[in-house]
């Protein structure tokens, strides 16, 4: 599944993320993100990684009620400031090809919720780029998030969602810790 994010949905490390007022809270999704360095159209799995500038962590926070109300995920994937990215960009030459073999972890209020490895992702960065670029030209600065391993809040029994005063950390080995806290939504000025 491919979906886009609006600019107002993105934010950075240490930012306070507002919780949408009609949601039970937001759900976390730890993801590896690849940043595109050159325009690319019709990538192949064999050449796609040549177009990756580097990698960072991404937390694809989701408003699950809105996401599941319609067959299109766009609104539920775009609450204000729900896409923290960072804390750093590590160039592709500093990591294994395709960022393979990196440990992924998320923690909510200090409790580990996700613990996996980039080798366990359903699709590689190269395969995702190949899939996207037969339809859309990727441009320098585009960010591609790879999907999340198991352990998100909606899949737990009972379900767990992020609310005011919660802290979530997502960590990709070698890329640092992306930490955010949550608060009641206030209109963005």
């Amino acid at each position: 599944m491919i979906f886009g994010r609006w600019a107002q949905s993105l934010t950075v490390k240490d930012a306070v993320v507002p919780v949408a007022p009609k949601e039970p809270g937001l759900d976390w999704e730890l993801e590896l993100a690849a940043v595109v360095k050159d325009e690319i159209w019709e990538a192949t799995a064999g050449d796609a990684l040549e177009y990756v500038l580097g990698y960072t962590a991404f937390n694809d926070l989701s408003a699950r009620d809105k996401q599941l109300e319609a067959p299109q995920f766009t609104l539920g994937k775009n609450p204000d400031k729900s896409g923290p990215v960072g804390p750093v960009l590590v160039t592709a030459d500093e990591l294994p090809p395709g960022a393979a073999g990196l440990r992924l972890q998320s923690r909510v209020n200090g409790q580990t919720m996700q613990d996996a490895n980039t080798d366990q992702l359903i699709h590689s960065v190269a395969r995702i780029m190949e899939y996207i670029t037969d339809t859309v030209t990727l441009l320098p600065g585009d960010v591609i998030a790879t999907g999340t391993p198991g352990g998100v809040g909606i899949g737990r029994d009972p379900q767990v969602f992020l609310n005011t005063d919660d802290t979530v950390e997502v960590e990709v080995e070698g890329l640092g810790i992306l930490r955010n806290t949550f608060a009641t939504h206030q209109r963005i000025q």
Side-chain angles (χ1 to χ4, degrees):
M1 177 167 299
I2 304 293
F3 55 86
R5 273 189 166 267
W6 299 316
Q8 68 268 32
S9 78
L10 300 176
T11 194
V12 295
K13 72 174 186 140
D14 298 326
V16 176
V17 176
V19 176
K22 295 183 180 176
E23 290 287 329
L26 296 176
D27 201 352
W28 61 89
E29 292 187 34
L30 159 63
E31 302 192 18
L32 172 70
V35 179
V36 176
K37 70 175 175 180
D38 296 312
E39 184 175 310
I40 182 170
W41 163 255
E42 287 192 309
T44 67
D47 71 4
L49 295 181
E50 296 172 26
Y51 296 86
V52 174
L53 172 65
Y55 298 92
T56 192
F58 187 78
N59 192 354
D60 184 24
L61 296 165
S62 301
R64 296 295 190 197
D65 284 356
K66 281 286 194 270
Q67 178 185 345
L68 300 175
E69 282 176 357
Q72 189 179 89
F73 283 10
T74 304
L75 190 56
K77 291 294 192 173
N78 279 278
D80 292 340
K81 296 186 178 185
S82 65
V85 62
V88 297
L89 175 68
V90 175
T91 58
D93 64 333
E94 297 178 77
L95 296 169
L102 302 181
R103 187 175 185 187
L104 305 165
Q105 287 190 306
S106 69
R107 293 174 291 278
V108 174
N109 300 323
Q111 180 181 354
T112 300
M113 298 296 198
Q114 295 175 285
D115 194 349
N117 189 289
T118 55
D119 289 345
Q120 297 169 306
L121 295 174
I122 294 172
H123 300 290
S124 68
V125 170
R127 175 64 187 114
I128 294 168
M129 291 177 70
E130 177 181 46
Y131 181 77
I132 292 171
T133 61
D134 70 357
T135 306
V136 175
T137 301
L138 290 174
L139 301 174
D142 284 347
V143 177
I144 300 166
T146 57
T148 193
V152 297
I154 197 169
R156 296 179 172 275
D157 186 16
Q159 294 178 342
V160 178
F161 296 104
L162 301 164
N163 280 288
T164 299
D165 297 328
D166 285 335
T167 299
V168 66
E169 296 176 330
V170 297
E171 182 175 7
V172 179
E173 181 182 353
L175 304 181
I177 297 171
L178 175 61
R179 180 181 298 109
N180 296 92
T181 56
F182 296 79
T184 303
H185 189 280
Q186 302 293 319
R187 188 171 188 285
I188 294 177
Q189 301 291 325

